Amino acid sequence: MTRDDTSPADRELLRLLHDRDLTVSAAQLERWRRAGLLPRHARKALGRGRGSISVLDPRTVEITDVLARCSGQGKDLRAAVLAWYMRAGTPGAHSRQAVPEPPFESARDALVWALRRSPVQRLIEQARRARNDTDADALYADAEKYLARSRGPFGHPGRMREALLDSSQDIQPPPRGGQHSMVNLIALLGLPPGEVSGESVAQAMTASGLLPEVDGSTMAAAFEQAERDGTLEHVLRVAQQRDVVAEARTVSPERLAHAREAARVLAFCGSVYLMHGLLLPDTPGQQAIRDRIDELGLGEATIAATRSFNTVEAANVLSLCLDPSFDHLAEQLNEVMTEHMASVFRRPGELDSAEDLMAQWLAVLRNAAER
């Protein structure tokens, strides 16, 4: 499409995007239309044989806005669609209007694509195929490469806060031991259920830090009892047989939307969790959310959810939230978040707004930087 061929509605659309500091070409608009992501303009008859003109729909402006923000040079369009799906229903960057939903089939295809690219999912599949020492060695070698490229653990926000407030302390990143132990757990899931002991599963889960608030001996006793009862093999078989890619291919719009809402709860609670470590002035609401996160052992999961606009992270978090066994945990977080929402960014007895708390936070950060 050349400039001369650009319709009046497209010219108006490009002008509005320019006002929002977004650079989009007429050719990009046409590519998005061909991909079924951007609707074509409606036509309005001029009457008396004068033909018709294209009319710009406000929804088209918001769709183009989110596509422009989620796309990038050399970036697969499916990554933009998944990022768009995670934003849908929330206020737009330059508008109070909610971001429209992407076509569901496109969103589901994008989720499947992202899960197939996920290093975590590839490691799980590789573990399931491992049947000898050579396969296991290859699994651990590939896992080491992934760990070297991945973000390390954040660490508990309480310890991070103490280090920032005490200028005599050096802030050291927490060890990656939990990530290495996670590989051990993945490797165990690749073994036939009859060859895995309750003790080995408990040791791997304890070392991985998946449930930091659960006593290791208590967990070991529970898994060993399950082994004696004959239920451990069933639990492991269910975990081994879960195919998240196949689940994503057949997920319904309602179930995926439910998972997205759970992911948003995780992301909000994870943000509160993280901001405490970064010296946000504390409130009872924040304390209640942090306590529940620690009780449920969901520290790393909520922190990962804060990065859910990243394509792979979004896919992994959605996959976690698609598991029906996670529903109860997400509901507990949602309950505490809803109950304490009014006091998350407000101190007892104060009428100050969230903006006032943010101003206090910036002052605290400046003081910490000066120290």
Side-chain angles (χ1 to χ4, degrees):
M1 180 182 289
T2 66
R3 180 66 182 177
D4 292 339
D5 295 329
T6 305
S7 68
D10 269 357
R11 286 197 292 271
E12 174 67 6
L13 175 57
L14 294 174
R15 185 190 66 77
L16 291 172
L17 294 173
H18 182 268
D19 290 345
R20 298 181 180 190
D21 295 324
L22 294 171
T23 302
V24 177
S25 68
Q28 278 180 295
L29 297 180
E30 194 57 32
R31 282 197 296 272
W32 292 337
R33 289 193 182 105
R34 287 198 300 268
L37 302 177
L38 190 64
R40 296 194 176 277
H41 301 299
R43 306 291 299 182
K44 178 182 179 181
L46 296 175
R48 297 184 179 181
R50 291 180 296 169
S52 63
I53 59 171
S54 56
V55 180
L56 180 60
D57 187 326
R59 280 174 49 87
T60 301
V61 179
E62 300 308 320
I63 291 173
T64 313
D65 182 298
V66 73
L67 278 171
R69 295 180 190 281
C70 296
S71 300
Q73 185 69 31
K75 190 175 183 179
D76 194 293
L77 192 54
R78 288 168 291 191
V81 172
L82 188 56
W84 172 11
Y85 182 76
M86 295 304 294
R87 289 168 168 80
T90 64
H94 281 270
S95 170
R96 292 185 178 181
Q97 293 186 12
V99 174
E101 294 280 346
F104 176 71
E105 292 296 335
S106 298
R108 184 164 58 185
D109 289 347
L111 175 60
V112 171
W113 167 81
L115 284 173
R116 291 182 65 86
R117 290 170 56 86
S118 166
V120 174
Q121 296 303 326
R122 287 204 294 265
L123 285 174
I124 291 174
E125 292 171 4
Q126 189 175 348
R128 288 170 175 164
R129 294 193 301 267
R131 287 295 177 266
N132 53 49
D133 291 342
T134 302
D135 292 341
D137 289 343
L139 168 65
Y140 280 95
D142 289 344
E144 288 291 340
K145 293 177 184 177
Y146 166 65
L147 291 174
R149 295 192 301 267
S150 66
R151 297 181 177 94
F154 180 84
H156 194 279
R159 291 190 290 274
M160 183 71 175
R161 189 182 185 92
E162 291 173 3
L164 286 172
L165 289 173
D166 185 352
S167 58
S168 66
Q169 290 189 41
D170 289 331
I171 300 175
Q172 298 292 337
R176 288 176 175 261
Q179 289 178 287
H180 289 278
S181 298
M182 183 67 75
V183 178
N184 290 332
L185 183 59
I186 290 173
L188 285 175
L189 292 177
L191 294 173
E195 298 179 14
V196 180
S197 68
E199 180 183 10
S200 61
V201 175
Q203 288 177 347
M205 290 193 70
T206 302
S208 70
L210 277 177
L211 301 172
E213 299 302 313
V214 178
D215 179 70
S217 60
T218 302
M219 187 187 300
F223 276 107
E224 288 168 8
Q225 183 62 48
E227 187 177 6
R228 288 191 293 271
D229 295 343
T231 57
L232 177 65
E233 185 169 337
H234 171 72
V235 171
L236 291 174
R237 196 176 300 281
V238 170
Q240 287 178 331
Q241 291 177 349
R242 188 181 181 221
D243 187 337
V244 297
V245 175
E247 288 176 14
R249 286 197 185 100
T250 58
V251 69
S252 68
E254 296 76 18
R255 183 62 194 173
L256 190 56
H258 178 81
R260 179 176 60 188
E261 289 308 307
R264 287 173 176 170
V265 170
L266 282 179
F268 177 82
C269 293
S271 297
V272 171
Y273 198 68
L274 280 172
M275 286 189 292
H276 179 72
L278 298 174
L279 305 183
L280 178 68
D282 206 5
T283 67
Q286 294 174 38
Q287 181 68 58
I289 289 174
R290 292 198 309 276
D291 287 347
R292 186 57 58 86
I293 288 173
D294 286 338
E295 287 169 10
L296 298 174
L298 292 176
E300 286 299 319
T302 58
I303 290 171
T306 64
R307 302 191 289 261
S308 59
F309 291 137
N310 172 285
T311 306
V312 172
E313 293 288 359
N316 288 334
V317 172
L318 283 172
S319 171
L320 172 67
C321 296
L322 281 173
D323 187 346
S325 64
F326 188 77
D327 285 351
H328 182 57
L329 295 176
E331 287 169 6
Q332 290 189 64
L333 275 185
N334 189 48
E335 286 174 5
V336 73
M337 181 188 76
T338 303
E339 180 183 353
H340 296 278
M341 181 63 77
S343 63
V344 169
F345 298 115
R346 182 171 294 166
R347 292 176 170 176
E350 295 184 0
L351 299 177
D352 296 337
S353 65
E355 288 80 4
D356 294 327
L357 193 71
M358 294 300 107
Q360 295 174 34
W361 186 21
L362 290 174
V364 171
L365 290 175
R366 280 194 293 269
N367 289 336
E370 291 170 2
R371 290 197 306 273

Coordinates of all heavy atoms in Angstrom, one line a residue, residues 261-270 273 288-299 301-303 305 321 326-341:
E261 N -7.2 -14.4 34.5 CA -7.5 -13.7 35.7 C -6.7 -14.2 36.9 O -6.2 -13.4 37.7 CB -9.0 -13.9 36.0 CG -9.9 -13.1 35.0 CD -9.6 -11.6 34.9 OE1 -9.4 -11.0 36.0 OE2 -9.3 -11.2 33.8
A262 N -6.5 -15.5 37.0 CA -5.6 -16.0 38.1 C -4.2 -15.5 37.9 O -3.5 -15.1 38.9 CB -5.6 -17.5 38.0
A263 N -3.7 -15.4 36.7 CA -2.3 -14.9 36.4 C -2.2 -13.4 36.8 O -1.2 -13.0 37.4 CB -2.0 -15.0 34.9
R264 N -3.3 -12.6 36.6 CA -3.3 -11.2 37.0 C -3.3 -11.1 38.5 O -2.7 -10.2 39.1 CB -4.5 -10.5 36.4 CG -4.4 -10.3 34.9 CD -5.7 -9.7 34.3 NE -5.5 -9.5 32.9 CZ -6.4 -9.1 32.0 NH1 -7.7 -9.1 32.5 NH2 -6.2 -8.9 30.8
V265 N -4.0 -12.0 39.2 CA -4.0 -12.0 40.7 C -2.5 -12.2 41.2 O -2.0 -11.6 42.0 CB -4.9 -13.0 41.3 CG1 -4.7 -13.2 42.8 CG2 -6.4 -12.6 41.0
L266 N -1.9 -13.3 40.5 CA -0.5 -13.6 40.9 C 0.4 -12.4 40.6 O 1.3 -12.1 41.5 CB 0.0 -14.8 40.1 CG -0.5 -16.2 40.5 CD1 0.1 -17.2 39.5 CD2 -0.1 -16.5 41.9
A267 N 0.2 -11.7 39.5 CA 1.1 -10.6 39.1 C 0.9 -9.5 40.1 O 1.9 -8.8 40.5 CB 0.8 -10.2 37.7
F268 N -0.3 -9.1 40.5 CA -0.5 -8.0 41.4 C 0.1 -8.4 42.8 O 0.8 -7.5 43.3 CB -2.0 -7.8 41.6 CG -2.3 -6.7 42.6 CD1 -2.2 -5.3 42.3 CD2 -2.6 -7.0 43.9 CE1 -2.4 -4.3 43.2 CE2 -2.8 -6.0 44.9 CZ -2.7 -4.7 44.5
C269 N -0.2 -9.6 43.3 CA 0.4 -9.9 44.6 C 1.9 -10.0 44.5 O 2.6 -9.6 45.5 CB -0.2 -11.3 45.0 SG -2.0 -11.2 45.4
G270 N 2.4 -10.5 43.4 CA 3.9 -10.6 43.2 C 4.5 -9.2 43.2 O 5.6 -9.0 43.7
Y273 N 4.7 -8.0 46.7 CA 5.7 -8.8 47.3 C 7.1 -8.2 47.0 O 7.9 -7.9 47.9 CB 5.6 -10.2 46.8 CG 6.3 -11.3 47.6 CD1 5.9 -11.6 48.9 CD2 7.4 -12.0 47.0 CE1 6.5 -12.7 49.6 CE2 8.0 -13.0 47.7 CZ 7.5 -13.3 49.0 OH 8.1 -14.4 49.7
A288 N -0.5 -8.4 54.8 CA -1.4 -9.6 54.7 C -1.2 -10.4 53.4 O -1.2 -11.6 53.4 CB -2.9 -9.1 54.7
I289 N -0.9 -9.7 52.3 CA -0.7 -10.4 51.0 C 0.6 -11.1 51.1 O 0.7 -12.3 50.7 CB -0.7 -9.3 49.9 CG1 -2.1 -8.8 49.6 CG2 -0.1 -9.9 48.6 CD1 -2.2 -7.7 48.6
R290 N 1.7 -10.5 51.7 CA 3.0 -11.2 51.8 C 2.9 -12.4 52.7 O 3.4 -13.5 52.3 CB 4.0 -10.2 52.3 CG 4.4 -9.1 51.4 CD 5.7 -8.5 51.9 NE 5.8 -8.1 53.3 CZ 5.3 -7.0 53.8 NH1 4.8 -6.1 53.0 NH2 5.5 -6.8 55.1
D291 N 2.1 -12.3 53.8 CA 2.0 -13.4 54.7 C 1.3 -14.6 54.0 O 1.8 -15.8 54.1 CB 1.2 -13.0 55.9 CG 1.9 -12.2 56.9 OD1 3.2 -12.0 56.7 OD2 1.3 -11.6 57.8
R292 N 0.3 -14.3 53.2 CA -0.4 -15.4 52.5 C 0.5 -16.0 51.4 O 0.5 -17.2 51.2 CB -1.7 -14.9 51.9 CG -2.6 -16.0 51.3 CD -2.9 -17.1 52.2 NE -3.6 -16.6 53.4 CZ -4.9 -16.4 53.5 NH1 -5.7 -16.7 52.4 NH2 -5.5 -15.9 54.6
I293 N 1.2 -15.2 50.7 CA 2.2 -15.7 49.7 C 3.2 -16.7 50.3 O 3.4 -17.8 49.8 CB 2.9 -14.6 49.0 CG1 1.9 -13.8 48.0 CG2 4.1 -15.1 48.2 CD1 2.6 -12.6 47.4
D294 N 3.7 -16.3 51.5 CA 4.7 -17.1 52.2 C 4.0 -18.4 52.7 O 4.6 -19.5 52.6 CB 5.3 -16.4 53.3 CG 6.3 -15.3 52.8 OD1 6.8 -15.5 51.7 OD2 6.6 -14.4 53.5
E295 N 2.8 -18.3 53.2 CA 2.1 -19.5 53.7 C 1.8 -20.5 52.6 O 1.9 -21.7 52.8 CB 0.7 -19.0 54.3 CG 0.8 -18.3 55.6 CD -0.5 -17.7 56.0 OE1 -1.5 -18.0 55.3 OE2 -0.6 -16.9 57.0
L296 N 1.5 -20.0 51.4 CA 1.2 -20.9 50.3 C 2.5 -21.3 49.6 O 2.4 -22.2 48.7 CB 0.3 -20.2 49.3 CG -1.1 -19.8 49.9 CD1 -1.9 -19.0 48.8 CD2 -1.9 -21.1 50.3
G297 N 3.6 -20.7 49.9 CA 4.9 -21.1 49.2 C 4.9 -20.6 47.8 O 5.5 -21.3 46.9
L298 N 4.3 -19.5 47.5 CA 4.1 -19.0 46.1 C 5.0 -17.8 45.8 O 4.8 -17.1 44.8 CB 2.7 -18.7 45.8 CG 1.7 -19.8 45.8 CD1 0.3 -19.3 45.6 CD2 2.0 -20.8 44.7
G299 N 6.1 -17.6 46.5 CA 7.0 -16.5 46.3 C 7.5 -16.4 44.9 O 7.3 -15.4 44.2
A301 N 6.5 -18.1 42.2 CA 5.4 -18.1 41.2 C 4.9 -16.7 41.0 O 4.6 -16.2 39.9 CB 4.3 -19.1 41.6
T302 N 4.7 -16.0 42.2 CA 4.1 -14.6 42.0 C 5.2 -13.7 41.4 O 4.8 -12.8 40.6 CB 3.7 -14.1 43.4 OG1 4.8 -14.1 44.3 CG2 2.5 -14.9 44.0
I303 N 6.4 -13.9 41.7 CA 7.5 -13.0 41.1 C 7.5 -13.3 39.6 O 7.6 -12.3 38.8 CB 8.8 -13.3 41.8 CG1 8.8 -12.7 43.2 CG2 10.0 -12.6 41.0 CD1 10.0 -13.1 44.0
A305 N 5.1 -14.2 37.8 CA 3.9 -13.6 37.2 C 4.1 -12.1 36.9 O 3.4 -11.6 36.0 CB 2.7 -13.9 38.0
C321 N -1.7 -21.7 35.7 CA -3.0 -21.3 36.1 C -4.1 -22.2 35.4 O -5.3 -22.2 35.8 CB -3.3 -19.9 35.9 SG -2.2 -18.8 36.9
F326 N -4.4 -25.8 40.7 CA -3.9 -24.5 41.2 C -5.1 -23.6 41.5 O -4.9 -22.6 42.1 CB -3.1 -23.9 40.1 CG -2.4 -22.7 40.5 CD1 -1.2 -22.7 41.3 CD2 -2.8 -21.4 40.1 CE1 -0.6 -21.6 41.7 CE2 -2.2 -20.3 40.5 CZ -1.1 -20.3 41.3
D327 N -6.3 -23.9 41.1 CA -7.4 -23.0 41.3 C -7.6 -22.6 42.8 O -7.8 -21.4 43.1 CB -8.7 -23.7 40.9 CG -8.9 -23.7 39.4 OD1 -8.0 -23.1 38.7 OD2 -9.8 -24.4 38.8
H328 N -7.4 -23.6 43.7 CA -7.6 -23.3 45.1 C -6.6 -22.3 45.6 O -6.9 -21.4 46.4 CB -7.6 -24.6 45.9 CG -7.8 -24.4 47.4 ND1 -9.0 -23.8 47.9 CD2 -7.1 -24.6 48.5 CE1 -8.9 -23.7 49.2 NE2 -7.8 -24.2 49.6
L329 N -5.3 -22.4 45.2 CA -4.3 -21.5 45.6 C -4.6 -20.1 45.1 O -4.5 -19.1 45.8 CB -2.9 -22.0 45.1 CG -2.4 -23.3 45.7 CD1 -1.1 -23.7 45.1 CD2 -2.2 -23.2 47.2
A330 N -5.0 -20.0 43.8 CA -5.3 -18.7 43.2 C -6.5 -18.1 43.9 O -6.5 -16.8 44.2 CB -5.5 -18.9 41.8
E331 N -7.5 -18.9 44.3 CA -8.6 -18.3 45.0 C -8.2 -17.7 46.4 O -8.8 -16.7 46.8 CB -9.7 -19.4 45.2 CG -10.4 -19.8 43.9 CD -11.2 -21.0 44.0 OE1 -11.3 -21.5 45.1 OE2 -11.8 -21.5 43.0
Q332 N -7.3 -18.4 47.1 CA -6.9 -17.9 48.4 C -6.2 -16.6 48.2 O -6.4 -15.7 49.0 CB -6.0 -18.9 49.1 CG -6.7 -20.2 49.5 CD -5.8 -21.1 50.4 OE1 -5.4 -20.7 51.4 NE2 -5.5 -22.3 49.9
L333 N -5.3 -16.5 47.2 CA -4.6 -15.2 47.0 C -5.6 -14.1 46.6 O -5.5 -13.0 47.0 CB -3.6 -15.3 45.9 CG -2.2 -15.8 46.3 CD1 -1.3 -15.8 45.0 CD2 -1.6 -15.0 47.4
N334 N -6.6 -14.5 45.8 CA -7.6 -13.5 45.4 C -8.4 -13.0 46.6 O -8.8 -11.8 46.7 CB -8.5 -14.1 44.3 CG -9.5 -13.1 43.7 OD1 -9.1 -12.0 43.3 ND2 -10.8 -13.4 43.6
E335 N -8.7 -13.9 47.5 CA -9.5 -13.6 48.7 C -8.8 -12.5 49.5 O -9.3 -11.5 49.9 CB -9.8 -14.8 49.5 CG -10.9 -15.7 48.9 CD -11.1 -17.0 49.6 OE1 -10.4 -17.2 50.7 OE2 -11.9 -17.8 49.2
V336 N -7.5 -12.8 49.8 CA -6.7 -11.9 50.6 C -6.5 -10.6 49.9 O -6.5 -9.5 50.5 CB -5.4 -12.5 51.1 CG1 -4.4 -12.6 50.0 CG2 -4.8 -11.8 52.3
M337 N -6.3 -10.6 48.6 CA -6.1 -9.4 47.8 C -7.4 -8.5 47.9 O -7.3 -7.3 48.1 CB -5.8 -9.7 46.4 CG -5.5 -8.5 45.5 SD -5.4 -8.9 43.8 CE -7.1 -9.2 43.3
T338 N -8.6 -9.2 47.7 CA -9.8 -8.4 47.7 C -10.1 -7.9 49.1 O -10.6 -6.7 49.2 CB -11.0 -9.4 47.2 OG1 -10.7 -9.9 45.9 CG2 -12.3 -8.6 47.2
E339 N -9.9 -8.7 50.1 CA -10.2 -8.3 51.5 C -9.4 -7.0 51.9 O -9.8 -6.1 52.6 CB -9.9 -9.4 52.4 CG -10.2 -9.1 53.9 CD -9.9 -10.2 54.8 OE1 -9.6 -11.4 54.3 OE2 -9.9 -10.0 56.0
H340 N -8.1 -7.0 51.4 CA -7.2 -6.0 51.9 C -6.9 -4.9 50.9 O -6.0 -4.1 51.1 CB -5.9 -6.6 52.4 CG -6.1 -7.5 53.6 ND1 -6.2 -7.0 54.9 CD2 -6.2 -8.8 53.7 CE1 -6.4 -8.0 55.7 NE2 -6.4 -9.1 55.1
M341 N -7.6 -4.9 49.7 CA -7.2 -4.0 48.7 C -7.2 -2.5 49.1 O -6.4 -1.7 48.8 CB -8.2 -4.1 47.5 CG -7.9 -3.2 46.3 SD -6.3 -3.6 45.6 CE -6.7 -5.1 44.7

